[in-house]
Amino acid sequence: MPSLKELVKRESRFVSGHRLCGGCGAGIVMRLVLLAIDKPVIASCATGCVEVATTIFPYSAWKIPWVHSAFENSASTISGVEAAYRVFKREGKIDKEIVFVAFGGDGGTHDIGLQALSGAAERNHNVLYVCYNNQAYMNTGIQRSGATPKYAHTTTSPVGKVIPGKIQWQKNLVEIMVAHGIPYAATSIPGRWNDLVSKVEKAVKIEGFKYIEVLSPCRLGWPHEPELTLEISRLAVETCIWPLYEVVEGKYRLTYKPKEKKPVIEWFKLQGRFRHLLLPENAHLLEEIQKEVDRRWEELLKKCES
Amino acid sequence: MGIKVVKTGNEAFAEGMRQINPDVVAAYPITPQTEIVQIFSQFVADGRVKTEFIQVESEHSAMSACIGASCAGARAMTGTSSQGLAYMWEMLYIASGLRLPIIMAVVNRALSSPINIHCDHSDTFGARDSGWIQIYSENVQETYDNLIQGVRIAEHPEVRLPCMIMTDGFILSHCLETMEMLTDEEVREFVGEPPERGNLIKAVVENKPITIGALDLQDYYFEHKRQQAEGMKNALKVIPEVGKEFGDKFGRYYGMVENYKLDDADIGVVVIGSTAGTAKEAVDKLRSRGIKAGLLKIRVFRPLPVVDIKESLKNLKVVGVMDRVEGMNAFCGPLYSEICACLYELEKRPILTNFVYGLGGRDVKVEDIELIFNELLRVLEKGVKEYTLKYIGVRE
């Protein structure tokens, strides 16, 4: 893996001038993913924050060939690109190695794009899919998604007098992807650059479909102070809400273990969407989440040990 | 030269695809198109094509993968019917908006609900404003010929639009007909190598990154749509050129429309697809009784051949427009509206009536067309019509 010094010397292929918010996690994710790959890249991107903020015609923040077609089909669009490459390669029309990356937010990946993602994974295209998961439909103004955590306030799962935010658990898409039998699946965060870079580096060397889901703090939607983006992503790991692990050919490995597991409230108290959970009358909700986070963490540890 | 063979519409499509030998095919099975996917899969399995065949999980992904492939510079093809086309809807507009010359074989089938697997034109007529070129076929021969010409039309640098080629579900897709197949070399020479256009793979080779599918706001969207409209306009010129070149080479000439015994006709029908064959039969019968009947077959519905339609119908007295789709506008079928619009600027216009027929595969016989002509004769005698729309062959 390159050192940070070496990494910053590489030419950035996701460049300034885009209109993502100050403190947006997704921009950091895009830049790190591309920095981690030392080959030509072609990327597809789902409709969403990253797409609308980085390609306002006639400008583009991408110094790679890049394509966006719709919301739910980043995976099937890149499938077509990769298939075209395979035939051109076979025909001797191109000899360069190209890495194919698909980007999508949690809406475009967990919800509306799940079918296309599943199909591309099942067909095992030689593609790295990176989901920047900011846990809601942030581009349309903070609506709940299948990835929104339980009891989070969003504009379509508002905290009200009788309902305390989103009442369902978020889906665990990494496990769904593991169940597809793909050769590589992992979680990551922008706050540990070396974790993300090493996982991307590792993934692109593997033939077949790879899936990395990166927790991407959203200062407007969560909301949090913009300077806390990286710290909040790290706190999600320290509280075991967002464990860092990878699954290579079905084998689980924890890639980072917190020295001291922090209570979930440490993560919640920095974000407006969980403000109501800090009220004394909602202590039981907080406890419910802590219990479930503990259970999932233990379950993951067992998988990693076996 | 070609050889005489006996093929179904689906076989003709699949054979045509094999001969075109596209880089990428992404397709999903649906009745009555399924056979195309099956036959083509076997061509892939036997190594008879160079094609990367993506067995997608849905039609939405079929079109998405074709879009990805086409953005990468590939010649990409797919095929579908009915619900499958409906499921692609969103992507149809993106394929045309990105100016991708994707070719799609469509086997026409009624749209649900009620669910039905048989022929009408509700599926592709719904897609008439999607920016795709639409070419309809009367028989298996035309199905095959149109597919091959479609490649040249779509890829023409002044057009650069996706193209759908239609054949009538079951009536043509599953019926054996004698047809002439070209040799593989003839087809490959005719379609040639696709003209070069900017694409993702080329961008890697030349190390010149491109962004495709950018966000286009108030300041640019309109200009890009205007350019797209120009591509469709250019297709009006390119389609007959390609049809003539095809005719010069292989003996079968194609224009935007086909006139059948229209020159001296008083009455005539306007028809699309396989019913044209049945209706020609009816015209012949009427002619044998001394009635000056004729027929206008719309081969190309998008772009709309306004000049040809005006020219063909201007001297008629009464015209019946046959829609194999119900417009659900409490007025008339969609083909009727468009024919009306074409003729409106004529100083002397024929009286127009509309007949909706054959929905959900309801059989259309020569007698049904004769019934339509009898209706037209009545209008001719009276000099005035009593209704705008009549349903043919329905129980009510």
Coordinates of all heavy atoms in Angstrom, one line a residue, chain A residues 40 42 51-52 55-58 60 62-73 76-77 79-81 83-88 90-91 93-94 96 98 115-116 119-120 123 125, chain B residues 23-24 50-52 54-58 60-61 64-65 67-69 71-74 87 90-91 94 98 193 200-201 203-205 209-217 219-220 224:
Chain A
P40 N -5.8 3.0 -15.5 CA -7.0 3.7 -16.1 C -8.3 3.2 -15.5 O -8.4 2.0 -15.3 CB -6.9 3.4 -17.6 CG -5.5 2.9 -17.8 CD -5.0 2.3 -16.6
I42 N -12.6 3.5 -15.7 CA -13.9 4.0 -16.3 C -14.9 3.8 -15.2 O -15.0 2.7 -14.6 CB -14.3 3.3 -17.5 CG1 -13.3 3.5 -18.7 CG2 -15.7 3.8 -18.0 CD1 -13.6 2.7 -20.0
E51 N -23.4 12.8 -8.5 CA -23.6 13.0 -9.9 C -24.0 14.5 -10.2 O -23.4 15.1 -11.0 CB -24.7 12.0 -10.4 CG -25.2 12.3 -11.8 CD -26.5 13.1 -11.8 OE1 -27.3 13.0 -10.9 OE2 -26.7 13.8 -12.8
V52 N -25.0 15.0 -9.4 CA -25.5 16.3 -9.7 C -24.5 17.4 -9.4 O -24.4 18.4 -10.0 CB -26.9 16.7 -9.1 CG1 -27.9 15.7 -9.6 CG2 -26.8 16.7 -7.6
T55 N -21.0 17.1 -12.1 CA -21.0 17.1 -13.6 C -22.0 18.1 -14.1 O -22.8 17.8 -15.0 CB -21.4 15.7 -14.2 OG1 -22.7 15.4 -13.8 CG2 -20.5 14.7 -13.7
I56 N -22.0 19.3 -13.6 CA -22.9 20.3 -14.1 C -22.4 20.9 -15.5 O -21.4 21.5 -15.5 CB -23.2 21.5 -13.1 CG1 -23.6 20.9 -11.8 CG2 -24.2 22.5 -13.7 CD1 -23.7 21.9 -10.6
F57 N -23.1 20.5 -16.5 CA -22.6 20.8 -17.9 C -22.3 22.3 -18.0 O -23.2 23.1 -17.6 CB -23.7 20.4 -18.9 CG -23.2 20.4 -20.3 CD1 -22.5 19.3 -20.9 CD2 -23.4 21.5 -21.1 CE1 -22.1 19.4 -22.2 CE2 -22.9 21.6 -22.4 CZ -22.3 20.5 -22.9
P58 N -21.3 22.7 -18.6 CA -20.2 22.0 -19.3 C -19.0 21.6 -18.4 O -17.9 21.5 -19.0 CB -19.8 22.9 -20.4 CG -20.0 24.3 -19.8 CD -21.1 24.2 -18.8
S60 N -16.9 19.3 -15.4 CA -16.9 18.0 -14.8 C -15.7 17.9 -13.8 O -14.7 18.5 -14.1 CB -16.7 16.9 -15.9 OG -16.5 15.7 -15.3
W62 N -14.4 15.1 -13.0 CA -13.9 13.7 -13.2 C -12.8 13.8 -14.3 O -13.1 14.1 -15.4 CB -15.0 12.8 -13.6 CG -16.0 12.7 -12.6 CD1 -17.2 13.4 -12.5 CD2 -16.1 11.7 -11.4 NE1 -17.9 13.0 -11.4 CE2 -17.3 12.0 -10.7 CE3 -15.2 10.7 -11.0 CZ2 -17.6 11.3 -9.6 CZ3 -15.6 10.0 -9.9 CH2 -16.8 10.3 -9.2
K63 N -11.6 13.4 -13.9 CA -10.5 13.3 -14.9 C -10.4 11.8 -15.4 O -9.3 11.3 -15.6 CB -9.2 13.8 -14.4 CG -9.3 15.4 -14.2 CD -8.0 15.9 -13.6 CE -7.0 16.2 -14.7 NZ -5.8 16.9 -14.1
I64 N -11.5 11.2 -15.5 CA -11.5 9.8 -16.0 C -12.8 9.7 -16.9 O -13.7 10.5 -16.8 CB -11.7 8.7 -14.9 CG1 -13.0 9.1 -14.0 CG2 -10.5 8.6 -14.0 CD1 -13.4 8.0 -13.1
P65 N -12.8 8.8 -17.8 CA -14.0 8.6 -18.6 C -15.1 8.1 -17.6 O -14.9 7.2 -16.8 CB -13.7 7.4 -19.6 CG -12.2 7.4 -19.6 CD -11.7 7.9 -18.3
W66 N -16.2 8.8 -17.7 CA -17.3 8.7 -16.6 C -18.6 8.7 -17.3 O -18.9 9.5 -18.2 CB -17.1 9.8 -15.7 CG -18.0 9.9 -14.5 CD1 -17.7 9.5 -13.2 CD2 -19.3 10.5 -14.5 NE1 -18.8 9.8 -12.4 CE2 -19.8 10.4 -13.1 CE3 -20.1 11.1 -15.4 CZ2 -21.0 10.9 -12.7 CZ3 -21.4 11.6 -15.0 CH2 -21.8 11.5 -13.7
V67 N -19.6 7.9 -16.8 CA -20.9 7.9 -17.4 C -22.0 7.8 -16.3 O -21.8 7.1 -15.3 CB -21.1 6.7 -18.4 CG1 -20.8 5.3 -17.8 CG2 -22.4 6.7 -19.1
H68 N -23.0 8.6 -16.5 CA -24.2 8.5 -15.7 C -25.4 8.3 -16.7 O -25.5 8.9 -17.7 CB -24.4 9.8 -14.9 CG -25.8 10.1 -14.6 ND1 -26.6 11.0 -15.2 CD2 -26.6 9.5 -13.6 CE1 -27.8 11.0 -14.7 NE2 -27.8 10.1 -13.7
S69 N -26.2 7.3 -16.4 CA -27.4 7.2 -17.2 C -28.7 7.4 -16.4 O -29.5 8.2 -16.7 CB -27.4 5.8 -18.0 OG -27.6 4.7 -17.2
A70 N -28.8 6.7 -15.3 CA -30.0 6.9 -14.4 C -29.8 6.6 -13.0 O -28.6 6.4 -12.6 CB -31.2 6.1 -15.0
F71 N -30.8 6.5 -12.2 CA -30.7 6.4 -10.8 C -30.3 5.0 -10.3 O -29.4 4.7 -9.5 CB -32.0 6.8 -10.2 CG -32.0 7.0 -8.7 CD1 -30.9 7.0 -7.9 CD2 -33.2 7.3 -8.0 CE1 -30.9 7.2 -6.5 CE2 -33.3 7.5 -6.7 CZ -32.1 7.4 -5.9
E72 N -31.1 4.0 -10.9 CA -31.1 2.6 -10.3 C -30.2 1.7 -11.1 O -30.2 0.5 -10.9 CB -32.5 2.1 -10.3 CG -33.1 1.9 -11.7 CD -33.7 3.1 -12.3 OE1 -32.9 4.1 -12.5 OE2 -34.9 3.2 -12.7
N73 N -29.4 2.2 -12.0 CA -28.7 1.3 -12.9 C -27.2 1.5 -13.0 O -26.6 1.2 -14.1 CB -29.4 1.4 -14.3 CG -29.2 2.8 -14.8 OD1 -28.7 3.7 -14.2 ND2 -29.6 2.9 -16.1
S76 N -25.8 -1.9 -13.8 CA -26.1 -2.5 -15.2 C -25.4 -1.6 -16.3 O -25.0 -2.2 -17.3 CB -27.6 -2.7 -15.4 OG -28.3 -1.6 -14.9
T77 N -25.3 -0.3 -16.0 CA -24.6 0.5 -17.0 C -23.2 0.1 -17.1 O -22.6 -0.1 -18.2 CB -24.7 2.0 -16.6 OG1 -26.1 2.3 -16.5 CG2 -24.1 2.9 -17.7
S79 N -22.0 -2.7 -16.4 CA -21.9 -4.1 -16.9 C -21.8 -4.0 -18.4 O -21.0 -4.8 -19.0 CB -23.3 -4.9 -16.7 OG -23.5 -5.0 -15.3
G80 N -22.5 -3.1 -19.1 CA -22.4 -2.9 -20.5 C -21.1 -2.4 -20.9 O -20.5 -2.8 -21.9
V81 N -20.5 -1.5 -20.2 CA -19.2 -0.9 -20.5 C -18.2 -2.0 -20.4 O -17.3 -2.2 -21.3 CB -18.8 0.2 -19.5 CG1 -17.5 0.8 -19.9 CG2 -19.9 1.4 -19.5
A83 N -18.6 -5.2 -20.6 CA -18.8 -6.2 -21.7 C -18.2 -5.7 -23.0 O -17.6 -6.5 -23.7 CB -20.3 -6.5 -21.8
A84 N -18.4 -4.4 -23.3 CA -17.8 -3.9 -24.5 C -16.3 -4.0 -24.5 O -15.7 -4.4 -25.5 CB -18.2 -2.4 -24.6
Y85 N -15.7 -3.7 -23.3 CA -14.3 -3.8 -23.2 C -13.8 -5.2 -23.4 O -12.8 -5.4 -24.1 CB -13.9 -3.3 -21.7 CG -12.4 -3.6 -21.4 CD1 -11.4 -2.9 -21.9 CD2 -12.1 -4.6 -20.4 CE1 -10.1 -3.1 -21.6 CE2 -10.8 -4.8 -20.1 CZ -9.8 -4.1 -20.7 OH -8.5 -4.3 -20.3
R86 N -14.5 -6.2 -22.9 CA -14.1 -7.6 -23.0 C -14.1 -8.0 -24.5 O -13.1 -8.6 -24.9 CB -15.1 -8.5 -22.3 CG -14.6 -9.0 -20.9 CD -15.5 -10.0 -20.3 NE -16.6 -9.3 -19.7 CZ -17.8 -10.0 -19.5 NH1 -17.9 -11.2 -19.8 NH2 -18.8 -9.3 -18.9
V87 N -15.1 -7.5 -25.3 CA -15.1 -7.9 -26.7 C -14.0 -7.2 -27.4 O -13.3 -7.8 -28.3 CB -16.5 -7.7 -27.3 CG1 -16.8 -6.3 -27.6 CG2 -16.7 -8.6 -28.5
F88 N -13.8 -5.9 -27.1 CA -12.7 -5.2 -27.8 C -11.3 -5.7 -27.4 O -10.4 -5.8 -28.3 CB -12.7 -3.7 -27.4 CG -13.9 -2.9 -27.9 CD1 -14.4 -1.8 -27.2 CD2 -14.6 -3.4 -29.0 CE1 -15.5 -1.1 -27.7 CE2 -15.7 -2.7 -29.5 CZ -16.2 -1.5 -28.8
R90 N -10.7 -8.9 -26.6 CA -10.6 -10.2 -27.4 C -10.3 -10.0 -28.8 O -9.5 -10.7 -29.4 CB -12.0 -10.9 -27.2 CG -11.8 -12.4 -27.0 CD -13.1 -13.1 -26.7 NE -14.3 -12.5 -27.3 CZ -15.4 -12.3 -26.6 NH1 -15.5 -12.5 -25.3 NH2 -16.5 -11.8 -27.3
E91 N -10.8 -8.9 -29.4 CA -10.6 -8.6 -30.8 C -9.3 -7.8 -31.0 O -9.0 -7.5 -32.2 CB -11.7 -7.6 -31.3 CG -13.1 -8.2 -31.1 CD -13.6 -8.6 -32.5 OE1 -13.9 -7.8 -33.3 OE2 -13.7 -9.9 -32.7
K93 N -8.6 -4.8 -30.1 CA -8.8 -3.4 -30.3 C -8.2 -2.5 -29.2 O -8.0 -1.3 -29.4 CB -10.2 -3.1 -30.5 CG -10.8 -3.6 -31.9 CD -12.2 -3.3 -32.1 CE -12.7 -3.8 -33.4 NZ -14.2 -3.8 -33.4
I94 N -8.0 -3.1 -28.0 CA -7.4 -2.4 -26.9 C -6.5 -3.4 -26.1 O -6.9 -4.6 -26.0 CB -8.4 -1.7 -26.0 CG1 -7.7 -1.0 -24.9 CG2 -9.4 -2.7 -25.5 CD1 -8.6 0.0 -24.2
K96 N -4.8 -2.0 -23.2 CA -4.6 -1.5 -21.8 C -5.5 -2.2 -20.8 O -6.6 -2.6 -21.2 CB -5.1 0.0 -21.9 CG -4.0 1.0 -22.3 CD -4.4 2.4 -22.1 CE -3.4 3.4 -22.7 NZ -3.8 4.8 -22.5
I98 N -8.0 -1.9 -17.9 CA -8.9 -0.9 -17.4 C -9.6 -1.4 -16.1 O -10.0 -2.5 -16.1 CB -9.9 -0.4 -18.4 CG1 -9.2 0.1 -19.7 CG2 -10.9 0.6 -17.9 CD1 -10.1 0.5 -20.8
Q115 N -31.9 -4.4 -7.6 CA -32.0 -5.4 -8.6 C -30.8 -5.4 -9.6 O -30.3 -6.4 -9.9 CB -33.3 -5.2 -9.3 CG -33.5 -6.1 -10.5 CD -34.8 -5.8 -11.2 OE1 -35.9 -5.9 -10.7 NE2 -34.7 -5.4 -12.5
A116 N -30.5 -4.2 -10.0 CA -29.4 -4.1 -11.0 C -28.1 -4.5 -10.3 O -27.3 -5.2 -11.0 CB -29.3 -2.7 -11.5
G119 N -28.1 -8.3 -10.0 CA -27.8 -8.9 -11.3 C -26.4 -8.9 -11.7 O -25.8 -9.9 -12.2
A120 N -25.8 -7.7 -11.5 CA -24.4 -7.5 -11.9 C -23.5 -8.4 -11.1 O -22.5 -9.0 -11.6 CB -24.0 -6.0 -11.8
R123 N -23.8 -12.1 -12.1 CA -23.1 -12.3 -13.4 C -21.6 -12.2 -13.2 O -20.8 -12.5 -14.1 CB -23.6 -11.3 -14.5 CG -25.1 -11.5 -14.9 CD -25.4 -10.6 -16.1 NE -25.2 -9.2 -15.9 CZ -26.1 -8.4 -15.4 NH1 -27.3 -8.8 -15.1 NH2 -25.8 -7.1 -15.2
H125 N -19.5 -9.6 -13.1 CA -18.7 -8.7 -13.9 C -17.5 -8.2 -13.2 O -17.5 -8.2 -11.9 CB -19.6 -7.4 -14.3 CG -20.7 -7.7 -15.2 ND1 -20.5 -7.7 -16.6 CD2 -22.0 -8.0 -15.1 CE1 -21.6 -7.9 -17.2 NE2 -22.5 -8.1 -16.3
Chain B
D23 N -21.3 -6.2 -31.1 CA -20.3 -6.4 -30.0 C -21.0 -6.8 -28.7 O -20.5 -7.7 -28.0 CB -19.6 -5.0 -29.7 CG -18.8 -4.5 -30.9 OD1 -18.0 -5.3 -31.5 OD2 -19.1 -3.4 -31.3
V24 N -22.1 -6.2 -28.4 CA -22.8 -6.5 -27.1 C -24.3 -6.7 -27.4 O -24.9 -5.9 -28.1 CB -22.6 -5.4 -26.1 CG1 -23.4 -5.7 -24.8 CG2 -21.1 -5.3 -25.7
K50 N -19.1 -12.9 -32.3 CA -18.1 -12.4 -31.4 C -18.7 -11.8 -30.1 O -18.1 -11.4 -29.2 CB -17.2 -11.3 -32.1 CG -18.0 -10.1 -32.4 CD -17.2 -9.0 -33.0 CE -18.1 -7.8 -33.4 NZ -17.4 -6.7 -34.1
T51 N -20.1 -11.7 -30.2 CA -20.8 -10.9 -29.2 C -20.6 -11.3 -27.7 O -20.6 -12.5 -27.4 CB -22.3 -11.1 -29.5 OG1 -22.5 -10.9 -30.9 CG2 -23.2 -10.1 -28.7
E52 N -20.5 -10.3 -26.9 CA -20.6 -10.5 -25.4 C -22.1 -10.4 -25.1 O -22.8 -9.4 -25.3 CB -19.9 -9.4 -24.6 CG -18.4 -9.6 -24.4 CD -18.1 -10.7 -23.5 OE1 -18.8 -10.9 -22.5 OE2 -17.1 -11.4 -23.7
I54 N -25.0 -10.4 -22.5 CA -25.2 -10.2 -21.1 C -26.7 -10.6 -20.8 O -27.6 -10.0 -21.2 CB -25.1 -8.7 -20.7 CG1 -23.8 -8.1 -21.3 CG2 -25.0 -8.5 -19.2 CD1 -23.6 -6.6 -21.0
Q55 N -26.7 -11.7 -20.0 CA -28.1 -12.2 -19.6 C -28.6 -11.5 -18.4 O -28.5 -11.9 -17.3 CB -28.0 -13.7 -19.3 CG -27.6 -14.6 -20.5 CD -26.1 -14.9 -20.5 OE1 -25.3 -14.2 -20.0 NE2 -25.7 -16.0 -21.1
V56 N -29.1 -10.3 -18.7 CA -29.5 -9.4 -17.6 C -30.7 -9.9 -16.8 O -31.3 -10.9 -17.2 CB -29.9 -8.0 -18.2 CG1 -28.6 -7.2 -18.5 CG2 -30.8 -8.2 -19.4
E57 N -30.9 -9.2 -15.7 CA -32.0 -9.7 -14.8 C -33.3 -8.9 -15.0 O -34.3 -9.2 -14.3 CB -31.5 -9.5 -13.3 CG -31.6 -8.1 -12.7 CD -30.7 -7.1 -13.4 OE1 -29.7 -7.4 -13.9 OE2 -31.1 -5.9 -13.3
S58 N -33.3 -8.1 -16.0 CA -34.6 -7.3 -16.3 C -34.4 -6.6 -17.6 O -33.2 -6.4 -18.1 CB -34.9 -6.3 -15.2 OG -34.0 -5.3 -15.3
H60 N -35.0 -3.4 -17.8 CA -34.5 -2.1 -17.4 C -32.9 -2.2 -17.5 O -32.3 -1.3 -18.0 CB -34.9 -1.7 -16.0 CG -34.6 -0.3 -15.7 ND1 -33.3 0.2 -15.4 CD2 -35.4 0.8 -15.7 CE1 -33.4 1.5 -15.2 NE2 -34.6 1.9 -15.4
S61 N -32.4 -3.3 -17.0 CA -31.0 -3.5 -17.1 C -30.5 -3.8 -18.5 O -29.4 -3.5 -18.9 CB -30.5 -4.6 -16.1 OG -30.5 -4.1 -14.8
S64 N -30.1 -0.5 -19.9 CA -29.0 0.1 -19.3 C -27.7 -0.4 -19.7 O -26.7 0.3 -19.9 CB -29.1 0.0 -17.7 OG -30.4 0.5 -17.3
A65 N -27.6 -1.7 -19.8 CA -26.3 -2.3 -20.3 C -26.0 -2.0 -21.7 O -24.9 -1.7 -22.1 CB -26.4 -3.9 -20.1
I67 N -26.9 0.8 -23.1 CA -26.5 2.2 -23.0 C -25.0 2.2 -22.6 O -24.2 2.9 -23.2 CB -27.4 3.0 -22.0 CG1 -28.7 3.2 -22.7 CG2 -26.7 4.3 -21.6 CD1 -29.8 3.8 -21.8
G68 N -24.6 1.4 -21.6 CA -23.2 1.4 -21.1 C -22.3 0.9 -22.3 O -21.3 1.5 -22.5
A69 N -22.7 -0.1 -22.9 CA -21.9 -0.7 -24.0 C -21.8 0.3 -25.2 O -20.7 0.5 -25.7 CB -22.6 -2.0 -24.5
C71 N -22.1 3.6 -25.0 CA -21.2 4.7 -24.5 C -19.7 4.2 -24.6 O -18.9 5.1 -24.6 CB -21.5 5.0 -23.0 SG -23.0 6.0 -22.9
A72 N -19.5 2.9 -24.5 CA -18.1 2.4 -24.6 C -17.7 2.2 -26.1 O -16.6 1.7 -26.4 CB -17.9 1.1 -23.8
G73 N -18.6 2.6 -27.0 CA -18.3 2.5 -28.4 C -18.7 1.2 -29.1 O -18.4 0.9 -30.3
A74 N -19.4 0.3 -28.4 CA -19.8 -0.9 -28.9 C -21.1 -0.8 -29.8 O -21.9 0.1 -29.6 CB -20.1 -1.9 -27.8
Y87 N -41.1 -1.6 -19.2 CA -40.1 -1.5 -18.1 C -38.9 -0.7 -18.5 O -38.2 -0.2 -17.6 CB -39.8 -3.0 -17.7 CG -39.1 -3.1 -16.3 CD1 -39.3 -2.2 -15.3 CD2 -38.3 -4.2 -16.1 CE1 -38.7 -2.3 -14.1 CE2 -37.7 -4.3 -14.8 CZ -37.9 -3.4 -13.8 OH -37.3 -3.5 -12.6
E90 N -38.0 4.4 -19.1 CA -37.1 5.4 -18.6 C -35.8 5.5 -19.4 O -35.3 6.5 -19.8 CB -36.7 5.1 -17.1 CG -35.8 6.1 -16.5 CD -35.2 5.6 -15.2 OE1 -35.2 4.4 -14.9 OE2 -34.8 6.5 -14.4
M91 N -35.3 4.2 -19.7 CA -34.0 4.2 -20.4 C -34.1 4.5 -21.9 O -33.1 4.8 -22.5 CB -33.4 2.8 -20.1 CG -33.2 2.4 -18.7 SD -32.5 3.8 -17.7 CE -31.0 4.1 -18.4
I94 N -33.2 7.9 -22.3 CA -31.8 8.2 -22.0 C -30.9 7.7 -23.2 O -30.0 8.4 -23.6 CB -31.4 7.5 -20.7 CG1 -32.1 8.3 -19.6 CG2 -29.9 7.6 -20.5 CD1 -32.0 7.7 -18.2
L98 N -28.8 10.5 -25.2 CA -27.3 10.4 -25.3 C -26.9 10.1 -26.7 O -25.7 9.9 -26.9 CB -26.8 9.3 -24.3 CG -26.9 9.5 -22.8 CD1 -26.5 8.3 -22.0 CD2 -26.1 10.8 -22.4
E193 N -18.3 -1.4 -40.6 CA -17.8 -1.0 -39.3 C -18.6 0.2 -38.9 O -18.8 1.1 -39.7 CB -16.3 -0.7 -39.3 CG -15.5 -2.0 -39.3 CD -15.6 -2.8 -38.0 OE1 -15.4 -2.1 -36.9 OE2 -15.8 -4.0 -38.1
L200 N -16.2 5.9 -24.2 CA -15.4 5.8 -22.9 C -14.1 5.1 -23.2 O -13.1 5.4 -22.6 CB -16.3 5.0 -21.9 CG -17.6 5.7 -21.5 CD1 -18.5 4.7 -20.8 CD2 -17.3 6.8 -20.5
I201 N -14.1 4.0 -24.0 CA -12.9 3.2 -24.2 C -11.9 4.1 -25.0 O -10.7 4.1 -24.7 CB -13.2 1.9 -25.0 CG1 -14.2 1.1 -24.2 CG2 -11.9 1.1 -25.3 CD1 -13.7 0.2 -23.1
A203 N -11.7 7.2 -25.0 CA -11.1 8.2 -24.0 C -10.0 7.6 -23.2 O -9.0 8.3 -22.9 CB -12.3 8.6 -23.1
V204 N -10.0 6.3 -22.9 CA -8.9 5.7 -22.2 C -7.7 5.6 -23.1 O -6.6 6.0 -22.8 CB -9.3 4.3 -21.7 CG1 -8.0 3.6 -21.1 CG2 -10.3 4.4 -20.6
V205 N -8.0 5.1 -24.3 CA -6.9 4.9 -25.3 C -6.2 6.2 -25.6 O -4.9 6.3 -25.6 CB -7.4 4.3 -26.6 CG1 -6.3 4.2 -27.7 CG2 -8.0 2.9 -26.4
P209 N -10.1 12.2 -20.9 CA -11.3 11.8 -20.2 C -12.6 12.5 -20.8 O -12.5 13.7 -21.2 CB -11.0 12.2 -18.8 CG -9.8 13.1 -18.8 CD -9.1 12.7 -20.1
I210 N -13.7 11.8 -20.8 CA -14.9 12.4 -21.2 C -16.0 12.1 -20.1 O -15.9 11.1 -19.4 CB -15.5 12.0 -22.5 CG1 -15.6 10.4 -22.6 CG2 -14.7 12.5 -23.7 CD1 -16.4 9.9 -23.8
T211 N -16.9 13.0 -20.0 CA -18.1 12.8 -19.0 C -19.3 12.7 -19.9 O -19.7 13.6 -20.6 CB -18.2 14.0 -18.1 OG1 -17.0 14.0 -17.2 CG2 -19.4 14.0 -17.2
I212 N -20.0 11.5 -19.7 CA -21.2 11.3 -20.5 C -22.4 11.3 -19.5 O -22.3 10.7 -18.4 CB -21.2 9.9 -21.2 CG1 -20.0 9.9 -22.2 CG2 -22.5 9.7 -21.9 CD1 -19.8 8.6 -22.9
G213 N -23.5 12.0 -19.8 CA -24.6 12.0 -19.0 C -24.6 13.0 -17.9 O -25.1 12.8 -16.8
A214 N -24.0 14.2 -18.2 CA -23.9 15.3 -17.2 C -25.2 15.9 -16.9 O -26.2 15.7 -17.7 CB -22.9 16.3 -17.8
L215 N -25.3 16.6 -15.8 CA -26.5 17.4 -15.5 C -26.6 18.6 -16.4 O -25.7 19.4 -16.4 CB -26.4 17.8 -14.0 CG -27.5 18.6 -13.4 CD1 -28.8 17.8 -13.4 CD2 -27.2 19.1 -12.1
D216 N -27.7 18.7 -17.0 CA -27.9 19.7 -18.0 C -29.1 20.6 -17.6 O -30.2 20.2 -17.6 CB -28.3 19.0 -19.3 CG -27.7 19.6 -20.6 OD1 -26.6 20.2 -20.4 OD2 -28.1 19.3 -21.7
L217 N -28.8 21.8 -17.2 CA -29.8 22.7 -16.6 C -30.5 23.6 -17.6 O -30.4 23.4 -18.8 CB -29.2 23.4 -15.4 CG -28.8 22.4 -14.3 CD1 -28.0 23.2 -13.2 CD2 -29.9 21.6 -13.7
D219 N -29.6 26.2 -18.8 CA -28.7 26.9 -19.8 C -28.3 26.0 -21.0 O -27.8 26.6 -22.0 CB -27.5 27.5 -19.1 CG -26.9 26.5 -18.1 OD1 -27.4 25.4 -18.0 OD2 -25.8 26.9 -17.5
Y220 N -28.5 24.7 -20.9 CA -28.0 23.8 -22.0 C -29.0 22.8 -22.5 O -29.0 22.3 -23.6 CB -26.7 23.1 -21.7 CG -25.5 24.1 -21.8 CD1 -25.0 24.6 -20.6 CD2 -24.9 24.4 -23.0 CE1 -23.9 25.5 -20.7 CE2 -23.9 25.2 -23.1 CZ -23.3 25.8 -21.9 OH -22.3 26.6 -22.0
H224 N -29.5 20.9 -26.4 CA -29.2 19.5 -26.6 C -30.5 18.8 -27.2 O -30.4 17.9 -28.1 CB -28.7 18.8 -25.4 CG -27.3 19.2 -25.0 ND1 -26.9 19.5 -23.8 CD2 -26.2 19.4 -25.9 CE1 -25.6 19.9 -23.8 NE2 -25.2 19.8 -25.0

